[in-house]
Amino acid sequence: MGSQSGDISSALKEALASLGTAESPEAVRSIVSQAVGKKGSLGALKSSLGSIADIEQRKQVGAAINAAMTELTHAADARISEMSTAELLSNIERDRVDVTERALKSEVAARLGRTHLVTQATERLEDVFIGLGFQIAEGPEVESDFYNFEALNMPPSHPARSMWDTLFINQDPQGSVLLRTHTSPVQVRVMQEWPPPIYAIMPGRVFRRDTPDATHMPVFHQIEGMVIDRNITFSDLAGTIEAFTKAFFGSEFTSRLRPSYFPFTEPSAEFDIRRPDGSWTN
Amino acid sequence: MMHPRVIRAGGLDPDEWSGFAFGFGIDRMAKERHGVADLRDMYSNDVRFLEQFA
């Protein structure tokens, strides 16, 4: 079947190649029907089968032509299914609805929500202290007298309790329930729960019976830091405060500690921050 | 420096562990950092004010 075999495979190859460049299912179908049709390359070979005298050879060539036609039909089916998948995907892409698009493109964009000033400051402070190796701890806003005062070295009737104007939920000589006046109760809770050494910061909302003015709010926010380790000294505190000051405000800011009194620390200090212009904040 | 009694209240031995604690107002830090004159502005929920701090 020598020359016929070459004719069949080259006819098939040619038809397959044009399938690859066809751009629509209609084009694919017409390539197939042209190839297998009476005047097509494969169809013509089939028509010429009658001219092969040897019956065995005719059978072989006929089978080869049928196989080529089957291969071409399968390839065409695959090509069509490839095209319809591509078309489906492009339709999906074209019809995609971005439900946020309208808002982003309109004036609404200018009025999108954002984090509050205090939230921003809290997150920034947390970042600074996490960078210094601290972990974040939180505690309840409704506290017991024990955690808010007693555990912080202020037994009942300790005069220092009056440093905080406390909002009580339930006043009880056996143990009041109150809104925490500072985040310091969390220090005690953390010590009770975390194994030392401890490097913790405790941000949170605190409450005092204050009349709002330019520098006071009855509800405000504190962040507390605590380090528990071996051989911690006052200079570790000073170094931490200085590192925080520079990280939060900028390298041109510095800090100082000055003696103060708190029942829960000894010695106690308050810190001031020096602005670049030389003035102090406290 | 943390008072030994506070360390003891936390269940730790003040002879073994020492520490320091510090705290400050976040609102005041934000006020200082952004030059806000009045803390009350931060809680008035005036969007025109709050929008300035993106």
Side-chain angles (χ1 to χ4, degrees):
Chain A
M1 69 181 238
S3 78
Q4 286 98 337
S5 152
D7 291 345
I8 295 166
S9 71
S10 68
L12 176 61
K13 205 183 270 178
E14 195 182 313
L16 290 174
S18 49
L19 279 188
T21 56
E23 285 178 350
S24 68
E26 292 69 34
V28 169
R29 280 185 208 105
S30 99
I31 288 163
V32 174
S33 60
Q34 273 176 28
V36 304
K38 277 192 173 150
K39 290 180 180 168
S41 49
L42 289 168
L45 287 166
K46 198 171 189 176
S47 310
S48 68
L49 273 179
S51 66
I52 299 171
D54 183 276
I55 185 146
E56 283 307 316
Q57 195 187 355
R58 201 193 303 157
K59 270 186 184 170
Q60 279 182 21
V61 174
I65 293 171
N66 283 336
M69 285 178 165
T70 308
E71 187 178 341
L72 181 62
T73 316
H74 287 166
D77 289 347
R79 182 80 180 111
I80 288 171
S81 114
E82 195 177 280
M83 284 171 168
S84 60
T85 307
E87 191 191 357
L88 184 64
L89 289 175
S90 92
N91 285 350
I92 290 172
E93 192 55 41
R94 190 192 60 219
D95 297 341
R96 182 192 295 280
V97 176
D98 180 353
V99 292
T100 64
E101 190 176 36
R102 191 175 164 277
L104 289 172
K105 280 185 178 164
S106 72
E107 294 172 352
V108 180
R111 308 197 60 89
L112 281 180
R114 62 198 73 201
T115 51
H116 189 271
L117 195 51
V118 171
T119 309
Q120 290 173 29
T122 307
E123 287 173 353
R124 196 179 158 90
L125 289 162
E126 287 174 356
D127 286 348
V128 166
F129 283 108
I130 285 170
L132 292 172
F134 287 73
Q135 286 180 281
I136 298 174
E138 286 181 334
E141 293 175 351
V142 176
E143 261 300 2
S144 66
D145 182 277
F146 174 79
Y147 283 105
N148 198 77
F149 291 122
E150 201 165 338
L152 297 168
N153 196 28
M154 284 175 281
S157 79
H158 191 287
R161 287 184 175 220
S162 61
M163 287 167 72
W164 297 275
D165 291 313
T166 309
L167 289 156
F168 288 92
I169 303 281
N170 181 29
Q171 230 168 346
D172 181 345
Q174 301 305 313
S176 299
V177 177
L178 45 83
L179 294 177
R180 65 179 180 190
T181 59
H182 43 196
T183 42
S184 308
V186 190
Q187 289 181 21
V188 182
R189 291 180 177 278
V190 166
M191 279 190 283
Q192 288 175 338
E193 285 167 32
W194 296 11
I198 298 167
Y199 290 75
I201 51 161
M202 295 143 272
R205 200 149 49 151
V206 300
F207 309 84
R208 293 186 195 171
R209 249 192 84 215
D210 262 335
T211 305
D213 64 25
T215 56
H216 295 86
M217 292 295 289
V219 181
F220 60 105
H221 302 79
Q222 278 189 337
I223 189 162
E224 194 119 351
M226 175 177 70
V227 168
I228 300 274
D229 206 336
R230 294 187 167 88
N231 307 315
I232 293 294
T233 68
F234 204 83
S235 58
D236 295 318
L237 169 60
T240 304
I241 297 292
E242 182 69 10
F244 146 74
T245 302
K246 292 203 178 317
F248 186 72
F249 289 103
S251 57
E252 61 286 19
F253 286 75
T254 53
S255 64
R256 75 174 174 200
L257 295 171
R258 61 187 156 81
S260 184
Y261 169 77
F262 297 106
F264 32 80
T265 45
E266 180 59 38
S268 297
E270 286 185 63
F271 74 94
D272 304 321
I273 290 161
R274 186 177 184 273
R275 301 186 185 98
D277 66 7
S279 62
W280 292 89
T281 159
N282 51 38
Chain B
M1 303 304 292
M2 289 184 65
H3 198 290
R5 285 192 199 139
V6 177
I7 293 178
R8 201 173 290 124
L12 301 175
D13 178 359
D15 291 328
E16 184 182 0
W17 300 101
S18 54
F20 63 78
F22 57 90
F24 47 83
I26 295 172
D27 318 67
R28 286 191 182 185
M29 287 292 163
K31 180 175 180 287
E32 173 63 27
R33 204 175 123 79
H34 295 288
V36 176
D38 193 321
L39 269 186
R40 288 169 293 190
D41 290 338
M42 286 165 40
Y43 293 99
S44 60
N45 275 338
D46 186 333
V47 173
R48 292 166 302 176
F49 172 80
L50 294 171
E51 271 180 348
Q52 298 171 49
F53 310 97

